[in-house]
Amino acid sequence: ADSWGSMAVPAEGSDGIEPGVIYSFPVRCSGGSYEIVQGLDIDDASRALMDATETELREERAAIESLL
């Protein structure tokens, strides 16, 4: 119950990531489903990297949006 891993899943607004962005989150898996782990401490350096990654993912999605 206390262990978790990382998995790319659609964001739901957790950790300030725009909903719908496919992003790697800490998750717990059980019975074929998952839940995003909430309440983890995020230091300033990690937050800056997370924000940069989200920006890059949104830019990539916008670049191919006309193909979808």
Side-chain angles (χ1 to χ4, degrees), residues 17-55:
I17 306 301
E18 177 184 319
V21 172
I22 306 299
Y23 196 89
S24 182
F25 286 99
V27 296
R28 288 190 182 94
C29 297
S30 178
S33 61
Y34 69 88
E35 69 173 333
I36 296 173
V37 177
Q38 303 292 328
L40 298 175
D41 289 330
I42 301 171
D43 63 29
D44 291 341
S46 295
R47 171 88 289 172
L49 292 171
M50 289 172 66
D51 290 346
T53 298
E54 180 193 10
T55 297

Side-chain angles (χ1 to χ4, degrees), residues 4-16:
W4 51 268
S6 294
M7 188 166 73
V9 298
E12 302 167 342
S14 298
D15 293 325

